Amino acid sequence: MSLLFRFFLLFCSKDFITFYGKLRREGKVNPDVMAIYATSFARWMGLYLFVVGVFYYNAWQFYLAPENPWVRGGGLFVLVFFFGLFLWPRIKALEKTAFAYSDGALVEGRLFDRDSYRKLRVLKYAYKVDGKIYKLKRAGQSLLDFIGTKQGDGATVIYARSAPEVAVIFDPELFDQRCLDRERGLPEHRPVESVST
């Protein structure tokens, strides 16, 4: 799993790689949590490679020569399109969750906007750290959750102390499955600053 996790790190930000490197040097990495992230990454990567493989298999079935520039161009388009549309957002979501929970501090966030794009419902929260306001989006809400929220509703946000712009909505029940630091305990809910909407 360590090798797979290192492959995952190739797609991560410099801030997270630096944080993980420090955690690893100190011998604090929880191998069980690392395996959870590596498995999720492998699942999404496998699905991505399957879609790309189907494209190339169909191109071969229709007797399109691989050296044909249209096949090469189409293949490159499929690789880039599905990577950007499908795989990249999922890798970034995994990184954001790992970073926020592993280097996390809690703060109160406030809902300031809701967007609905067809079936994709997004809640937008603002939170304040050291006097600066940051924003985060929470996508994939159920219709009932989406309808049941209103502007100004509060939510507990966990953010990475070394990169406060990296944050997710906090779920204490999932902390042990998301925090890479095996010596870190559940953060106390003591919001330092709240933001009004």
Side-chain angles (χ1 to χ4, degrees):
M1 283 299 173
S2 178
L3 188 62
L4 190 55
F5 192 83
R6 287 184 186 187
F7 185 53
F8 164 65
L9 289 175
L10 294 175
F11 300 94
C12 294
S13 68
K14 185 179 178 182
D15 288 337
F16 180 65
I17 293 169
T18 303
F19 170 77
Y20 173 76
K22 181 175 182 275
L23 207 62
R24 190 165 180 263
R25 284 189 301 277
E26 294 171 355
K28 295 181 180 179
V29 176
N30 184 329
D32 296 333
V33 175
M34 185 174 68
I36 290 171
Y37 284 116
T39 303
S40 294
F41 171 72
R43 191 179 313 124
W44 292 120
M45 183 62 80
L47 197 52
Y48 166 72
L49 293 173
F50 173 76
V51 169
V52 171
V54 166
F55 170 82
Y56 278 107
Y57 176 76
N58 285 328
W60 176 77
Q61 285 293 96
F62 288 109
Y63 304 103
L64 295 173
E67 62 275 1
N68 183 324
W70 288 103
V71 174
R72 285 185 182 171
L76 183 61
F77 174 77
V78 168
L79 283 170
V80 172
F81 178 77
F82 279 103
F83 183 83
L85 180 73
F86 176 77
L87 188 59
W88 185 252
R90 282 154 182 85
I91 291 173
K92 289 285 118 185
L94 278 177
E95 176 194 353
K96 185 188 290 188
T97 301
F99 201 1
Y101 273 84
S102 303
D103 187 32
L106 299 179
V107 70
E108 192 69 20
R110 292 281 172 211
L111 182 71
F112 70 90
D113 196 12
R114 303 180 315 160
D115 281 331
S116 182
Y117 307 103
R118 297 184 186 163
K119 291 185 178 181
L120 180 65
R121 291 170 284 275
V122 179
L123 300 177
K124 298 178 180 179
Y125 291 88
Y127 60 99
K128 190 186 282 189
V129 178
D130 295 331
K132 186 174 180 184
I133 295 176
Y134 297 93
K135 296 176 181 176
L136 76 90
K137 294 179 183 179
R138 186 179 191 193
Q141 301 304 295
S142 70
L143 183 59
L144 288 176
D145 286 344
F146 187 77
I147 291 172
T149 58
K150 60 185 183 303
Q151 188 167 339
D153 282 355
T156 304
V157 172
I158 186 166
Y159 67 92
R161 290 172 296 173
S162 53
E165 69 279 3
V166 177
V168 294
I169 300 298
F170 181 62
D171 186 342
E173 294 178 10
L174 295 176
F175 181 79
D176 290 336
Q177 300 167 21
R178 293 182 173 176
C179 180
L180 284 164
D181 188 345
R182 67 177 175 205
E183 294 181 6
R184 188 168 168 73
L186 190 69
E188 291 182 30
H189 185 85
R190 285 188 297 173
V192 179
E193 300 178 70
S194 63
V195 60
S196 58
T197 55

